[in-house]
Amino acid sequence: MSTTTAMETHTGTAEHHELSFIRKYIFSTDHKMIAKQFLFGGLMFLALGGALAVMIRWQLGFPGRPLPMPLRILFPDTMAPGGIILPEFYNSLVTMHATFMVFFALMPLMAGVFGNLLIPLQIGAEDMAFPRINMASFWIMPVAGFIMLASFFVEGGAAGAGWTSYAPLSTSGEWTGVYMGQILWLVSLIVLGFSSILGALNYVTTVINMRAPGMTWFRIPLATWSIFITAWLLLLAIPILTGGLLLLLFDQTIGTAFFRPEGSGEPLLWQHIFWFFGHPEVYILILPAMGFVSEVIACRSRKPIFGYHSMVVAMVSIGFLGWVVWGHHMFQSGMNPLLGMTFVVTTVVIAVPSAIKTFNWMGTLWRGNIHFDTPLLHAVAFVALFIIGGLSGIFMASAPVDIYIHDTYFIVAHLHYVLVGGSLFGIFAGITFWYPKMFGRMMNEGLGKVHFALSFLFYNMAFFPMHNLGVQGMMRRIYDPNQYEFLQGLQPLNTFISISIFLFVSTQMIFAFNFLWSLREGKVAGNNPWKSNTLLWTTPSPPPHGNFPEMPTVYRGPYEYSHPDREEDYWPQDEPPATTGSGGETVTTPTPELVPGG
Amino acid sequence: MSDAAVTTMDRKPMPGMMVYNKKLGMWVFLLSEVMFFTSLIGTYVILRFAHPDHWTDPGVVLNVPLTAVNTFLLICSSVTMVKAFASIQQGNQKGLQMWLLATILIGATFVGVQAIEYNALLGEGFGPVLDLYHAVGRGNPHEGPSLGGPLYGATFYAMTGFHGAHVTIGVFCLIFVYIRSLQGAYTQDSLEGVEVIGLYWHFVDLVWILLFTIVYLI
């Protein structure tokens, strides 16, 4: 399918006549417009996922109490009769919350938005390698999202087998009461997979082939590096999921028995396929945030990033190790303990590159000239929360401990520390940092700081106590913990967590307001409001179609901040090095990298 | 910042991979295809090791001679694809069109033979569905004990079916390239489309050689 599109893509230099409204804003092939489309789409799904989280926490915080008034009338009797959430509907809520957040919010917000925005601008290309494939990659997402949303309205409701859709629970509606919803879930994710693959092959090709002269591999900014590695993971992991989803779809629809034990199928095989995709997916969701944070911390500390090469090597090794650790999700599945031990070792090894990155961020901040603006605050919060999430990860990586905490709220705490504390704060750092480039205006600093402070506070109030719930034995997907006597004492803590979540979600209104208000009323940004070095900031804000007035030439790495020989504390990558000639005149010397083959 | 300045932008990118974008993009796409077939073949390997009783000896249920001929045809189509590309490299438009047409016809024949094969197998009760599986083997009258098990049928149709879908898509892409070649879209200096579809075609061929071996011969 993509071959025909590949052949039709236009040939490098873009045509620059006036575009119609539809070509410019809807079916645009401009990578910056596609980034904005992904941004608005992703933020809408993020809001939807947040709304589902509120419903989940209403049930857990106030079990058996009807939903508050505006929500009560929204749901029919098949979901929440009299405003009381049914257990079946609760299963759908949990499943769809995770599905929307992982596949429709975080992935588009990271790879979709910033892959599109940053790659061409940071490497000095005028657009992506395949602009039309890029457009297709975006437009597949709303189609898949529509299918997923539709599943709420079919008989039996939306999928309820968890976002992991473990077989045999997911193979037949007999077990969950969900027939059509589960099928739509599978179809939607199969469709969405094409979006990821088309995006990823575009990113990989663009980074390899479209760099400006002088942009050697180790002059590429870390954000682009992180998305490049993520693109490889997407490219190789998503097809595995697609294959598994197709087989599961056959089990449900035509009656094959790949994963159905009644036909000698292997339910465990589904777990292997899912997590063989699923663990690289975890790094798909965190690596880009690591890249954004590296960029923000170096720029706002006015210091070269500490250990640039080790940062790259750490990300590459995380990308490789991510393929050999999937079994740590399956310690409880009856796996041979010797194999389990292997997975323990490979998983714990990932702590090494993660720690390298963490120490490098701290080394960058150390004695830096730190500017405490919103992007930096979010970036530092990312580092702090990623440490907590990373440390709780080691508990699960160790099989003997995992057997105790498996499928409890400890897991919920851990994954929200890495995916909200990590990924989402990373996304906030990215949005606040690159917003001026995207829209030409600054976001409001005051509102930004208020949003940050409240988010950080409520976030920790909500998710840190979940560790406690988990250790005390509260199950991960339980509908009403009060049905067990030993969990009844946790109700006050659950109520506290729910209220904290409501506050956390409400706080995001500040962000939404700031985002929309600054579109029109924000301070005009200028080309380089953060005084940053990457090529991206040499373009006007927002950059025109084609990005650079002429091909930029790159002379140095992206993190030459506070160079001792310079008055300015930054040194753009494309500024020619000035040397004093014999007559005292300033001459510029070409760099050896410009010589072909050099 | 005039728009005219942008169009004169002279792209001399870094000497990265010395291939043009479309070719690199196709390579990268084929890597993801490798992973897709890996998930199907991996499923087959695990299920077969777990349930060897679901499989029969080669040739009992599946028609190996017919598929061997079909495999030979598909390999031939790779040769004709190479000839098509070689023709346009020498600027031979007629050769390009002829060899493309040959590739299309052989590819379509492959899919057609596969359809005939499916039809015969389903008639003999060798299907993918758990409840309907009752394979009686080749040439048998339509009764007798069931041979193998439903996992055999399910993995067979999954692997060969998705491969067949890839061949079908390839044939449609080739038809597109063929129509473009009739319009004279490809020249000695501009043959990217032919080369890129060729890569895809050879990949599909290669996958089939693997599938033929593990599905029919082992």
Side-chain angles (χ1 to χ4, degrees):
Chain A
M1 183 189 74
S2 70
T3 37
T4 45
T5 3
M7 284 178 290
E8 288 175 299
T9 48
H10 70 127
T11 52
T13 42
E15 308 93 67
H16 295 276
H17 49 81
E18 273 300 308
L19 296 168
S20 67
F21 177 83
I22 287 179
R23 284 292 311 281
K24 193 169 177 186
Y25 293 104
I26 299 174
F27 294 108
S28 172
T29 55
D30 185 328
H31 70 101
K32 299 175 293 291
M33 184 53 69
I34 293 170
K36 288 178 195 173
Q37 291 173 326
F38 267 119
L39 180 62
F40 285 101
L43 287 175
M44 277 196 277
F45 282 118
L46 187 72
L48 177 66
L52 297 178
V54 167
M55 303 273 292
I56 292 168
R57 282 317 309 186
W58 179 267
Q59 167 59 26
L60 292 174
F62 310 95
R65 196 183 296 185
L67 288 162
M69 198 44 215
L71 286 172
R72 196 180 305 172
I73 47 167
L74 271 178
F75 297 98
D77 283 355
T78 49
M79 293 176 180
I84 295 167
I85 295 168
L86 289 174
E88 300 87 333
F89 184 49
Y90 181 81
N91 287 344
S92 298
L93 286 175
V94 173
T95 306
M96 299 309 266
H97 164 69
T99 305
F100 277 120
M101 285 304 200
V102 168
F103 292 102
F104 291 91
L106 292 185
M107 281 169 71
L109 283 177
M110 297 189 141
V113 176
F114 292 103
N116 270 306
L117 177 74
L118 298 182
I119 289 177
L121 284 167
Q122 285 196 333
I123 65 172
E126 78 274 354
D127 204 323
M128 284 286 178
F130 310 114
R132 287 197 206 174
I133 290 186
N134 206 16
M135 177 182 79
S137 158
F138 170 74
W139 277 107
I140 290 168
M141 187 186 89
V143 174
F146 179 77
I147 297 171
M148 192 63 88
L149 277 173
S151 71
F152 277 110
F153 301 97
V154 296
E155 202 182 334
W163 86 284
T164 52
S165 270
Y166 272 8
L169 185 62
S170 58
T171 53
S172 166
E174 276 175 69
W175 320 124
T176 51
V178 178
Y179 290 87
M180 200 56 195
Q182 187 69 37
I183 291 170
L184 290 175
W185 186 87
L186 291 166
V187 171
S188 168
L189 289 189
I190 291 166
V191 172
L192 189 68
F194 285 100
S195 164
S196 299
I197 291 169
L198 295 181
L201 78 90
N202 226 331
Y203 301 162
V204 167
T205 309
T206 308
V207 173
I208 292 177
N209 256 11
M210 311 255 300
R211 283 168 290 142
M215 182 60 83
T216 58
W217 282 103
F218 286 114
R219 286 178 181 173
I220 296 177
L222 288 171
T224 294
W225 256 115
S226 70
I227 294 164
F228 180 64
I229 297 162
T230 304
W232 278 108
L233 296 180
L234 282 167
L235 199 68
L236 301 176
I238 296 287
I240 298 280
L241 177 70
T242 306
L245 292 170
L246 285 164
L247 299 183
L248 188 55
L249 186 64
F250 294 149
D251 273 10
Q252 283 177 348
T253 51
I254 64 172
T256 55
F258 292 103
F259 307 119
R260 288 159 66 200
E262 65 265 37
S264 305
E266 293 286 326
L268 253 188
L269 176 60
W270 167 260
Q271 291 190 28
H272 278 290
I273 293 177
F274 185 84
W275 288 117
F276 189 72
F277 144 80
H279 208 81
E281 168 74 14
V282 170
Y283 296 112
I284 290 166
L285 296 173
I286 195 78
L287 279 173
M290 290 176 165
F292 310 155
V293 162
S294 306
E295 209 87 344
V296 170
I297 286 184
C299 174
R300 302 325 289 149
S301 308
R302 315 310 291 165
K303 269 183 67 188
I305 193 94
F306 190 95
Y308 171 87
H309 287 80
S310 66
M311 283 297 215
V312 175
V313 173
M315 283 195 286
V316 173
S317 41
I318 289 174
F320 274 107
L321 288 169
W323 291 96
V324 290
V325 298
W326 79 92
H328 68 216
H329 297 273
M330 298 168 59
F331 287 141
Q332 288 285 57
S333 64
M335 167 194 289
N336 183 332
L338 194 63
L339 187 58
M341 194 61 219
T342 319
F343 282 120
V344 171
V345 172
T346 52
T347 307
V348 172
V349 167
I350 294 194
V352 175
S354 310
I356 289 173
K357 297 192 73 67
T358 307
F359 282 112
N360 282 352
W361 288 318
M362 292 198 275
T364 310
L365 287 163
W366 176 250
R367 304 188 67 183
N369 176 16
I370 302 177
H371 293 53
F372 285 98
D373 28 36
T374 321
L376 182 97
L377 293 171
H378 283 293
V380 172
F382 167 93
V383 177
L385 301 175
F386 178 72
I387 291 174
I388 297 176
L391 290 177
S392 64
I394 294 179
F395 288 64
M396 272 152 256
S398 154
V401 184
D402 182 69
I403 286 168
Y404 183 66
I405 55 177
H406 185 89
D407 254 350
T408 66
Y409 258 75
F410 196 88
I411 308 291
V412 180
H414 162 75
L415 73 91
H416 284 95
Y417 261 89
V418 281
L419 292 185
V420 183
S423 309
L424 191 61
F425 276 86
I427 288 169
F428 282 142
I431 292 177
T432 47
F433 189 65
W434 283 296
Y435 185 95
K437 189 50 71 184
M438 267 193 269
F439 299 106
R441 290 174 187 273
M442 307 293 286
M443 286 178 84
N444 185 293
E445 247 331 274
L447 283 175
K449 281 182 174 139
V450 171
H451 164 247
F452 163 77
L454 293 178
S455 291
F456 188 78
L457 179 71
F458 295 143
Y459 165 79
N460 283 293
M461 279 162 56
F463 290 101
F464 202 83
M466 286 187 186
H467 292 105
N468 200 0
L469 294 180
V471 171
Q472 304 213 34
M474 182 168 150
M475 301 77 167
R476 175 177 179 177
R477 291 192 170 106
I478 194 168
Y479 164 68
D480 180 4
N482 289 325
Q483 62 184 285
Y484 295 104
E485 205 177 326
F486 77 102
L487 293 177
Q488 282 168 1
L490 298 175
Q491 189 54 50
L493 192 52
N494 265 318
T495 309
F496 174 78
I497 290 173
S498 291
I499 292 169
S500 305
I501 295 272
F502 301 155
L503 290 170
F504 177 72
V505 171
S506 315
T507 303
Q508 305 318 310
M509 306 288 175
I510 302 174
F511 178 79
F513 173 76
N514 191 0
F515 186 100
L516 295 172
W517 182 82
S518 304
L519 285 177
R520 297 194 70 128
E521 306 293 331
K523 198 169 64 149
V524 174
N527 286 4
N528 193 356
W530 308 114
K531 304 220 180 317
S532 179
N533 290 341
T534 54
L535 293 178
L536 177 123
W537 299 104
T538 63
T539 60
S541 307
H545 199 46
N547 296 342
F548 298 94
E550 55 190 59
M551 171 73 85
T553 302
V554 177
Y555 296 94
R556 63 187 63 78
Y559 301 111
E560 296 291 328
Y561 291 107
S562 304
H563 196 279
D565 298 344
R566 281 173 61 85
E567 266 175 45
E568 294 270 18
D569 68 349
Y570 68 113
W571 204 355
Q573 284 188 280
D574 65 340
E575 192 177 300
T579 52
T580 313
S582 52
E585 80 280 17
T586 305
V587 295
T588 56
T589 48
T591 52
E593 284 80 4
L594 291 181
V595 184
Chain B
M1 178 57 52
S2 77
D3 280 342
V6 186
T7 45
T8 57
M9 182 164 167
D10 181 22
R11 285 219 64 84
K12 283 201 198 68
M14 284 298 293
M17 298 282 283
M18 293 293 187
V19 288
Y20 52 87
N21 286 349
K22 284 178 191 169
K23 192 168 169 183
L24 181 62
M26 180 49 85
W27 277 357
V28 169
F29 175 69
L30 292 181
L31 279 174
S32 82
E33 289 279 41
V34 168
M35 294 308 276
F36 175 70
F37 281 103
T38 301
S39 72
L40 299 180
I41 294 170
T43 300
Y44 157 82
V45 170
I46 287 168
L47 290 178
R48 186 159 182 183
F49 269 104
H51 302 282
D53 54 309
H54 278 240
W55 271 261
T56 66
D57 287 336
V60 174
V61 173
L62 301 176
N63 189 344
V64 177
L66 177 70
T67 316
V69 172
N70 218 11
T71 307
F72 177 72
L73 279 179
L74 199 61
I75 294 171
C76 288
S77 78
S78 257
V79 177
T80 56
M81 189 68 232
V82 171
K83 295 293 274 181
F85 182 59
S87 301
I88 192 62
Q89 272 183 318
Q90 290 155 4
N92 180 355
Q93 294 283 348
K94 278 275 169 276
L96 170 71
Q97 291 159 12
M98 188 186 80
W99 289 115
L100 276 178
L101 190 61
T103 315
I104 291 166
L105 291 176
I106 300 176
T109 310
F110 177 88
V111 179
V113 172
Q114 208 177 21
I116 293 166
E117 182 201 8
Y118 274 20
N119 198 28
L121 288 172
L122 290 169
E124 290 162 3
F126 181 74
V129 179
L130 171 63
D131 302 331
L132 302 178
Y133 185 89
H134 188 86
V136 290
R138 278 205 317 126
N140 280 5
H142 286 238
E143 57 246 20
S146 179
L147 305 169
L151 293 180
Y152 191 9
T155 52
F156 169 83
Y157 286 103
M159 287 190 287
T160 58
F162 279 113
H163 177 269
H166 277 79
V167 177
T168 310
I169 291 167
V171 168
F172 280 108
C173 295
L174 279 169
I175 291 172
F176 176 79
V177 173
Y178 176 66
I179 293 169
R180 299 250 302 152
S181 78
L182 292 178
Q183 296 162 345
Y186 304 106
T187 62
Q188 240 168 323
D189 307 319
S190 160
L191 37 71
E192 297 183 354
V194 182
E195 192 177 16
V196 168
I197 187 62
L199 283 176
Y200 176 82
W201 193 255
H202 297 316
F203 168 79
V204 169
D205 194 5
L206 194 70
V207 170
W208 181 252
I209 292 169
L210 196 65
L211 287 181
F212 178 61
T213 311
I214 64 171
V215 175
Y216 288 84
L217 299 184
I218 295 178

